Amino acid sequence: MAGIQLSIVTPERTTFDESVDGVVVPMLDGEAGILAGHAPVIGRLAPGEVRIQTSGRSQRFFVDGGFVQVADNRVSILTGRALTIDQINVAEAHKVLENTRISATDKPEIIEIKTKALDSARAQIRLAGG
């Protein structure tokens, strides 16, 4: 029995829009599980795995950070990028990881960009098992 509407939206398209039993999202301070009747909340997402449970089957997506809003039995995930696990290019993620590690900088804004790229690459590699 599905009880909550989940939408995963990127700038290009709606990646997922279905009624589900529950969803687990990667927050900046850990994972959050959301079921029907969840209290309203807005939060920032970390790069990581969204786990969706529906009628005995599960689906997994990589999201590259973003925001989640829960209200009125609806979960809206807004992210710059959402991929199914089989869409993750592990070789490309390893390449980004290596290139980001070797580039040196002392500028705070560049360090922040590098940190986000490293977090994203690591999450993709972890999720894809590579």
Side-chain angles (χ1 to χ4, degrees):
M1 170 183 108
I4 193 163
Q5 187 68 28
L6 171 64
S7 298
I8 302 174
V9 180
T10 69
E12 292 82 28
R13 65 188 179 98
T14 298
T15 303
F16 186 93
D17 191 15
E18 295 180 23
S19 184
V20 302
D21 294 330
V23 61
V24 177
V25 296
M27 304 296 286
L28 291 178
D29 58 352
E31 293 183 328
I34 304 164
L35 299 171
H38 195 285
V41 66
I42 295 176
R44 286 190 56 198
L45 296 173
E49 179 181 25
V50 172
R51 294 189 309 273
I52 303 163
Q53 190 67 36
T54 307
S55 303
R57 69 180 175 98
S58 62
Q59 292 176 272
R60 299 166 56 210
F61 284 87
F62 165 78
V63 293
D64 203 9
F67 296 91
V68 62
Q69 178 182 13
V70 180
D72 301 323
N73 273 342
R74 182 168 208 30
V75 179
S76 300
I77 294 174
L78 306 173
T79 182
R81 183 170 48 150
L83 305 170
T84 60
I85 300 306
D86 61 335
Q87 291 174 319
I88 295 173
N89 183 332
V90 176
E92 182 64 27
H94 277 292
K95 185 177 174 182
V96 168
L97 193 61
E98 186 59 33
N99 289 342
T100 304
R101 283 183 179 160
I102 61 174
S103 62
T105 186
D106 60 352
K107 296 181 180 178
E109 60 275 9
I110 302 299
I111 291 171
E112 183 178 343
I113 291 167
K114 285 179 60 172
T115 300
K116 287 180 182 179
L118 287 169
D119 290 346
S120 178
R122 286 182 184 126
Q124 289 178 65
I125 292 165
R126 184 180 62 251
L127 293 178

